[in-house]
């Protein structure tokens, strides 16, 4: 069989091993096909690079080098690479096939995810990236399109097509070239093309923001505009887009998406530790710069992560203090902005000007010492009395207006234990209501509080927590045997969401009829989760090889399939015999699809030599050398040929009858 590829590779055999069937996805660097490893009889995903990249010798060398590195990476959250090779001008990877859908498809269906689902996914993504970083690889294109959600619940990071070794000769791209997807590019990738593990951390932080809010943090009219925003604007807090999200999630996104790479976790493993710590209600670990507390004391990271109010000014090493803390210097005070120091005179007034008197240069005579002491003591007593009076009045007013009240913190979507701990830590009494069904809040998490978050209540008041009993469970109806549209309508009527449709060949079920659902009928299924439907694509394509073309023509006409008939080259098969076909036998086909068959024009015609009078052995040898089969007929003592049939020309491989001996029987 000729395996040289031309045009589209679908239906062809790569390297005599990988049968390419249908296209799965198309990207900027390659197209991914569904395929079969005929040697190991397993389904694979085959990624074939675009022809213009395969023609670049430098790209091919780097591709082979990095493919070998990725192939050595074995982790349950990373798509495995089985093989790499080339067939003609086609450069390909054979990879693990993950049956399911992408995280982008999930976001398109649900817009945004609950905090628990978002953290579940980002944990698995970070686990896969951490394994890659530990192995010395940077992904460089982390985005929802490259996260695969398997039907069995597994989560895998795919497409290391832009990956490169951390210890390679360069961490930079060519001048003017941005590698990756602009919505997830770290600022340093835009400004100088630098790529290291912290770029993957930044992209993971952007992806976490998108999972929580349903939108990307930076959008613009062009890719250049989006890149400019990554360099010059800070990623907003998720709670600023979706009010009600816990501040702990804001802290995680801020940690991963700092515009200064030195302030991010060093790799995905460190970011993973931070995510797990937040989920357990613990402070964020690691050598990350903490927020500064009162009087210059370092506060616990949990004060920034879990504080009920907005964080105060954040003092980081190497940063100038904020321009204003909200305080106004008293009249007559001299403000030293570099040290934030208020300088006052000994009597609480302005200081004496440098090099002059305390009265601005106006000369006064010396006072008696006792008079100075008396005036100073009297003034000090008055000042202290005024201060005490103001403090007492202010304290009483503060307690009456605000001091005995506190705001209920935002604890929705936290676990019941975490919410209880936070409320009790704030001084409230906690009571728990019976759980209730909720399709958007995971089981065990808090749906709402009474009074609601943000309400001002007396300190020590009782806060009622309403936990979620999980989503409503609905029995999947029996829709097998129905048309696809009817099955989808039945699922919607039952309160469920129809999900991905999978086409599967069937010799017994008509095309367009539902074969099964996942989960099966009768299963109690969460209402918001989609139900996968498997639909018959009609009978599988028969094996026409060795059959006359009339057989394929009759089947194609009966099943609404078009035939593309091509002549077979150098065939010795009888005329009109099918020598090969594409797609392969047993592939699913739909009405209107084109099936290519290669038809033998018959064996070539060969000139029959004149063997009259030759000895029988010599005649047989001569004819067999030309590819004929010889049938001997004769008797008698004379072993010489006196006739043969046919003569002239005959198809190669046909039978020549040779008569020998004496005509008439040899007697």
């Amino acid at each position: 069989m000729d395996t040289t590829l031309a045009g589209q590779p679908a239906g062809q055999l790569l390297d005599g091993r990988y049968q390419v069937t249908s296209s799965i996805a198309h990207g900027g660097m390659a197209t991914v096909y569904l395929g079969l490893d005929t040697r190991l009889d397993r389904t694979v995903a085959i990624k074939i690079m675009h022809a213009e990249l395969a023609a670049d010798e430098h790209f091919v060398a780097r591709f082979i080098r990095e493919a070998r590195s990725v192939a050595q990476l074995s982790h349950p959250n990373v798509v495995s690479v089985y093989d790499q090779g080339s067939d003609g001008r086609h450069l390909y990877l054979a990879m693990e096939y993950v049956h399911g859908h992408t995280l982008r498809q999930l976001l398109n269906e649900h817009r945004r995810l609950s905090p628990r689902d978002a953290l579940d996914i980002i944990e698995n993504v970070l686990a896969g990236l951490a394994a890659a970083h530990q192995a010395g690889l940077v992904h460089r294109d982390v985005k929802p399109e490259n996260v695969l959600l398997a039907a069995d619940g597994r989560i895998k990071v795919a497409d290391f097509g832009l990956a490169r070794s951390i210890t390679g000769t360069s961490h930079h791209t060519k001048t003017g070239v941005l590698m990756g997807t602009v919505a997830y590019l770290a600022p340093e990738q835009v400004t100088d093309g630098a790529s290291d593990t912290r770029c993957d951390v930044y992209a993971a932080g952007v992806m976490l923001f998108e999972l929580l809010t349903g939108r990307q943090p930076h959008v613009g009219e062009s890719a250049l505009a989006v890149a400019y925003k990554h360099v010059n604007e800070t990623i907003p807090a998720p709670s600023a887009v979706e009010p009600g999200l816990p501040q702990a999630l804001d802290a995680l996104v801020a940690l991963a998406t700092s515009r200064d790479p030195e302030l991010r976790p060093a790799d995905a493993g460190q970011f993973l530790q931070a995510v797990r710590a937040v989920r357990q209600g613990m402070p964020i670990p690691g050598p990350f710069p903490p927020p500064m507390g009162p009087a210059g004391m370092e506060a616990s990271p949990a004060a920034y992560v879990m504080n009920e109010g907005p964080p105060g000014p954040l003092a980081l090493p190497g940063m100038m203090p904020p321009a204003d803390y909200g305080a106004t210097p008293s009249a007559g005070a001299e403000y030293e902005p570099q040290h934030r120091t208020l300088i006052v005179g000994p009597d609480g007034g302005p200081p004496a000007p440098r090099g002059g008197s305390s009265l601005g240069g106006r000369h006064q005579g010396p006072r008696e010492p006792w008079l100075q002491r008396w005036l100073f003591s009297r003034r000090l007593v008055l000042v202290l009395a005024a201060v005490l009076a103001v403090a007492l009045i202010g304290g009483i007013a503060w307690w009456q207006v605000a001091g005995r009240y506190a705001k209920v913190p935002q604890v929705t979507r936290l676990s019941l234990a975490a919410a209880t701990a936070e409320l009790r830590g704030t001084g409230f009494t906690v009571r728990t209501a019976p759980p209730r069904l909720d399709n958007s809040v995971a089981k065990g998490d808090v749906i709402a509080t009474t009074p609601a978050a943000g309400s001002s209540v007396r300190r020590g008041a009782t806060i009622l927590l309403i936990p979620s009993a999980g989503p409503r469970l609905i029995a999947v109806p029996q829709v097998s045997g129905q048309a696809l549209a009817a099955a989808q309508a039945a699922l919607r009527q039952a309160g469920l969401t129809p999900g991905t449709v999978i086409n599967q060949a069937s010799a017994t079920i008509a095309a367009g009829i539902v074969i099964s659902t996942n989960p099966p009928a009768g299963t109690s299924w969460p209402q918001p989760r989609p139900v996968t439907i498997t639909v018959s694509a009609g009978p599988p394509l028969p094996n026409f090889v060795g059959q006359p073309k009339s057989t394929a023509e009759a089947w194609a006409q009966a099943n609404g399939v078009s035939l593309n008939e091509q002549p077979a080259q150098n065939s010795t098969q009888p005329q009109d015999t099918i020598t090969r076909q594409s797609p392969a036998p047993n592939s699913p086909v739909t009405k209107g699809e084109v099936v290519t068959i290669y038809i033998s024009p018959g064996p070539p015609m060969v000139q029959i030599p004149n063997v009259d009078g030759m000895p029988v052995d010599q005649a047989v040898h001569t004819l067999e050398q030309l590819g004929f089969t010889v049938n001997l007929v004769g008797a008698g003592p004379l072993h010489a040929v006196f006739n043969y049939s046919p003569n002239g020309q005959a198809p190669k491989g046909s039978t020549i009858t040779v008569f020998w001996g004496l005509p008439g029987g040899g007697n």
Side-chain angles (χ1 to χ4, degrees):
M1 178 180 295
D2 181 10
T3 59
T4 301
L5 302 179
Q8 295 298 323
Q12 303 297 327
L13 192 68
L14 289 174
D15 274 350
R17 176 174 181 176
Y18 299 105
Q19 182 72 51
V20 184
T21 56
S22 56
S23 173
I24 298 176
H26 183 81
M29 298 178 65
T31 300
V32 181
Y33 295 86
L34 185 64
L36 176 68
D37 183 345
T38 58
R39 188 175 303 169
L40 299 179
D41 192 25
R42 68 178 174 187
T43 301
V44 295
I46 302 174
K47 183 174 183 179
I48 300 179
M49 300 299 124
H50 295 331
E52 62 272 17
L53 294 177
D56 185 338
E57 294 182 0
H58 297 289
F59 175 85
V60 172
R62 195 192 83 185
F63 172 82
I64 294 173
R65 183 173 60 252
E66 304 302 344
R68 290 174 178 170
S69 298
V70 176
Q72 296 174 6
L73 181 61
S74 177
H75 191 274
N77 294 117
V78 176
V79 174
S80 299
V81 174
Y82 298 142
D83 193 9
Q84 173 274 322
S86 61
D87 191 319
R89 62 189 182 90
H90 291 269
L91 190 64
Y92 70 89
L93 282 179
M95 305 179 297
E96 173 188 6
Y97 172 64
V98 180
H99 175 61
H101 51 278
T102 67
L103 181 55
R104 173 60 65 203
Q105 291 171 316
L106 182 67
L107 283 174
N108 289 341
E109 290 181 8
H110 297 279
R111 191 180 77 83
R112 69 184 184 92
L113 307 182
S114 69
R116 171 169 290 186
D117 289 341
L119 291 178
D120 283 345
I121 290 174
I122 209 68
E123 269 199 63
N124 283 272
V125 170
L126 290 174
L129 290 175
H133 291 173
Q134 189 173 8
L137 289 174
V138 183
H139 190 289
R140 300 205 303 168
D141 199 19
V142 177
K143 59 184 177 181
E145 287 81 356
N146 288 336
V147 177
L148 303 184
L149 310 178
D152 60 5
R154 293 174 299 145
I155 299 173
K156 288 179 174 282
V157 181
D159 197 359
F160 277 77
L162 291 181
R164 70 180 305 152
S165 171
I166 296 173
T167 58
T169 57
S170 174
H171 295 281
H172 297 74
T173 60
K174 295 178 180 179
T175 303
V177 177
L178 292 180
M179 299 297 288
T181 305
V182 69
Y184 306 90
L185 284 181
E188 63 268 24
Q189 288 178 284
V190 177
T191 55
D192 58 8
S195 296
D196 62 11
T197 52
R198 295 170 296 184
C199 295
D200 287 350
V201 171
Y202 184 90
V206 174
M207 192 164 68
L208 177 58
F209 177 95
E210 187 175 0
L211 296 180
L212 295 169
T213 65
R215 49 157 281 189
Q216 294 172 347
H218 293 322
V219 294
E221 296 180 355
S222 65
L224 187 61
V226 176
Y228 179 86
K229 289 186 177 182
H230 278 291
V231 174
N232 295 283
E233 297 182 15
T234 301
I235 301 292
S239 63
V241 179
E242 289 291 337
L245 289 175
Q247 290 185 356
L249 300 179
D250 293 345
L252 282 178
V253 172
L255 180 68
T257 59
S258 171
R259 283 185 290 164
D260 184 352
E262 297 296 330
L263 300 182
R264 293 181 218 140
D267 56 26
Q270 287 192 8
F271 189 26
L272 179 59
Q273 292 178 21
V275 171
R276 288 173 175 169
V278 166
R279 300 199 76 172
Q280 296 169 6
M282 298 171 62
I284 295 178
F288 311 128
M292 299 301 292
M297 299 293 292
E298 288 192 356
S300 166
Y304 176 66
V305 175
M306 306 300 291
N307 184 26
E308 69 175 69
L314 184 62
L316 300 178
M319 292 180 61
M320 292 296 291
D324 188 7
Y325 282 101
T328 303
S330 60
E334 181 178 319
Y335 186 55
E336 297 281 352
Q338 292 184 351
H339 305 288
R340 303 198 58 79
T341 303
L342 292 176
I343 304 174
V344 299
D347 59 355
R354 297 178 177 87
S357 71
S358 62
L359 297 178
R362 180 181 172 186
H363 179 73
Q364 288 191 352
R367 285 175 173 169
E368 294 293 333
W370 66 268
L371 180 60
Q372 287 183 333
R373 287 195 298 272
W374 181 83
L375 290 175
F376 178 77
S377 299
R378 183 170 179 271
R379 182 176 296 173
L380 180 61
V381 169
L382 292 176
V383 169
L384 289 176
V387 169
L388 288 174
V390 170
L392 180 62
I393 295 172
I396 295 173
W398 173 82
W399 178 255
Q400 291 296 326
V401 175
R404 57 178 172 173
Y405 293 93
K407 285 189 176 182
V408 178
Q410 178 63 261
V411 295
T412 56
R413 298 183 181 273
L414 292 180
S415 67
L416 186 60
T420 301
E422 182 161 345
L423 288 170
R424 286 176 177 169
T426 315
F428 293 109
T429 302
V430 180
R431 191 162 58 88
T432 304
R436 73 183 188 199
L437 295 173
D438 192 289
N439 286 341
S440 61
V441 179
K443 183 177 180 179
D445 287 356
V446 175
I447 300 173
T449 60
T450 302
S455 303
S456 292
V457 296
R458 288 181 179 270
R459 294 183 182 274
T462 298
I463 307 298
L464 181 66
L465 293 177
I466 305 173
S468 171
R472 178 187 174 197
L473 297 177
I474 300 175
V476 178
Q478 178 61 262
V479 295
S480 299
Q482 299 182 23
L484 175 60
Q488 291 172 326
L491 289 171
R492 292 191 185 97
Q493 187 174 3
L496 294 168
T497 302
T500 305
V501 176
I502 300 174
N503 291 311
Q504 179 178 312
S506 174
T508 57
I509 301 176
I513 301 301
V514 175
I515 299 175
S516 63
T517 58
N518 184 18
T523 304
S524 294
W525 193 245
Q527 187 179 29
R529 295 182 63 180
V531 176
T532 302
I533 305 173
T534 301
V535 179
S536 172
L541 184 64
N543 187 356
F544 294 125
V545 176
Q547 303 291 324
K549 72 172 183 178
S550 58
T551 302
E553 290 171 344
W555 185 90
Q557 184 175 6
N559 290 276
V561 174
S562 299
L563 286 181
N564 175 26
E565 299 181 1
Q566 298 291 330
Q569 302 296 323
N570 302 323
S571 174
T572 60
Q573 296 293 319
Q575 187 175 4
D576 291 339
T577 300
I578 298 174
T579 61
R580 60 189 178 103
Q581 67 185 69
S582 177
N586 298 319
S587 299
V589 291
T590 56
K591 286 188 176 182
E593 189 169 345
V594 177
V595 175
T596 301
I597 57 175
Y598 296 85
I599 303 169
S600 173
M605 299 298 290
V606 178
Q607 182 69 36
I608 302 172
N610 184 359
V611 296
D612 277 344
M614 285 185 183
V616 174
D617 292 344
Q618 182 181 353
V620 170
H621 178 74
T622 300
L623 293 171
E624 287 180 345
Q625 282 288 97
L626 296 173
F628 294 114
T629 300
V630 180
N631 177 32
L632 293 174
V633 177
L638 298 178
H639 290 269
V641 177
F642 66 82
N643 197 6
Y644 59 93
S645 178
N647 53 30
Q649 288 186 339
K652 185 177 182 180
S654 58
T655 300
I656 308 298
T657 302
V658 174
F659 300 92
W660 62 279
L662 294 176
N667 295 320

